[in-house]
Amino acid sequence: MPLTALTDRGRLRRRNEDAVAVDEALGLAALADGMGGLPDGDLASREAVAAALAWLKAMDDCGHDALARAVLAANARVRALAEERGAVMGTTLELLALDGDGACRLAHVGDSRAYLWRDGRLSRLTRDDSLVQELVDRGAMNADEAARSPQRNVITRAVGLEAHLEPALMRVTLARDDLLLLCSDGLWDMLDDAGIAAHLEAAGGDLPRCAAALVAAANDAGGADNIAVVLARR
């Protein structure tokens, strides 16, 4: 299945702390967003992506167990780097493994997201590991308040922060013409679901064109953060 990835520094940040990588031949992709406010976010995201994909490439079967172990490998790598540097380091991580029959497996940590575009409708597949999401779940905040909250980017779980980490794991079967989108908060914080959906629809299945349009739209909306996208099509 076709895969593409794109990342951009955005308009306001001095460096890009997002990282993406794909192996189209193996149907693998990874996306990470280094935690803002912590040292070496760019290093954390790059190393998490590299460690996770290296683990998956060595596996004969990229099922849920393999994805969970890949996340642990990324976690161990980031924690080792943090120990070497005497600093706390963290990053979100989204992993994707596809097969030729449309089966898709995902691993998720943090507030980067996975979306499914199917038959003109956009659905979010992942739940943010964030403070505002916890408040929404408890009924202490609604979705509109969460979108405006100054604490909306405070995440509660990340690669590198704890020795033990259990990612959220899920399986989706892609139908013909489905699109799968992985993205950092630099996209979804700038574009609402309707805005994302409009660009997915307009692209007509052209993944590089769609990725470029999404990044450009996030920048046009302010580009307040680094932007990263991965797209897959059945």
Side-chain angles (χ1 to χ4, degrees):
M1 284 183 279
L3 275 168
T4 196
L6 185 63
T7 184
D8 186 85
R9 182 169 57 87
R11 291 189 167 184
L12 301 184
R13 297 297 175 92
R14 296 177 58 187
R15 61 182 181 180
N16 192 350
E17 296 187 344
D18 288 2
V20 292
V22 299
D23 187 319
E24 190 169 9
L26 295 177
L28 301 174
L31 179 149
D33 176 3
M35 288 178 64
L38 296 183
D40 299 317
D42 52 343
L43 180 62
S45 62
R46 287 198 312 270
E47 291 295 319
V49 163
L53 281 191
W55 182 274
L56 290 175
K57 288 177 182 180
M59 296 292 100
D60 293 329
D61 175 25
C62 290
H64 279 164
D65 184 63
L67 263 68
R69 289 177 179 271
V71 171
L72 292 178
N75 193 57
R77 176 59 179 155
V78 173
R79 287 179 62 79
L81 284 169
E83 186 173 353
E84 289 173 10
R85 291 166 177 262
V88 178
M89 295 169 61
T91 181
T92 72
L93 185 60
E94 303 293 310
L95 296 181
L96 169 64
L98 301 165
D99 68 26
D101 295 325
C104 155
R105 291 179 176 84
L106 292 162
H108 161 82
V109 179
D111 68 349
S112 295
R113 291 180 177 178
Y115 291 90
L116 175 66
W117 171 256
R118 172 178 288 169
D119 296 332
R121 297 185 63 183
L122 185 71
S123 303
R124 177 149 58 106
L125 301 177
T126 52
R127 174 190 176 278
D128 295 343
D129 295 317
S130 68
L131 177 60
V132 295
Q133 183 64 62
E134 291 184 356
L135 293 172
V136 169
D137 291 347
R138 296 204 301 264
M141 181 181 288
N142 63 38
D144 289 339
E145 290 169 335
R148 298 191 303 269
S149 172
Q151 297 178 308
R152 65 187 180 278
N153 300 120
V154 177
I155 63 176
T156 55
R157 193 170 58 142
V159 169
L161 296 188
E162 303 287 344
H164 181 67
L165 180 63
E166 293 185 9
L169 300 169
M170 62 205 73
R171 185 182 188 277
V172 179
T173 300
L174 300 180
R176 184 65 60 188
D177 297 326
D178 280 356
L179 287 176
L180 189 71
L181 167 67
L182 311 182
C183 65
S184 64
D185 62 349
L187 182 74
W188 62 257
D189 204 24
M190 292 290 98
L191 300 179
D192 60 14
D193 285 4
I196 293 173
H199 289 286
L200 294 176
E201 184 170 29
D206 185 328
L207 297 191
R209 175 187 169 198
C210 186
L214 287 168
V215 168
N219 276 322
D220 289 345
D225 201 352
N226 312 141
I227 309 152
V229 299
V230 170
L231 285 163
R233 188 184 75 238
R234 174 75 192 273

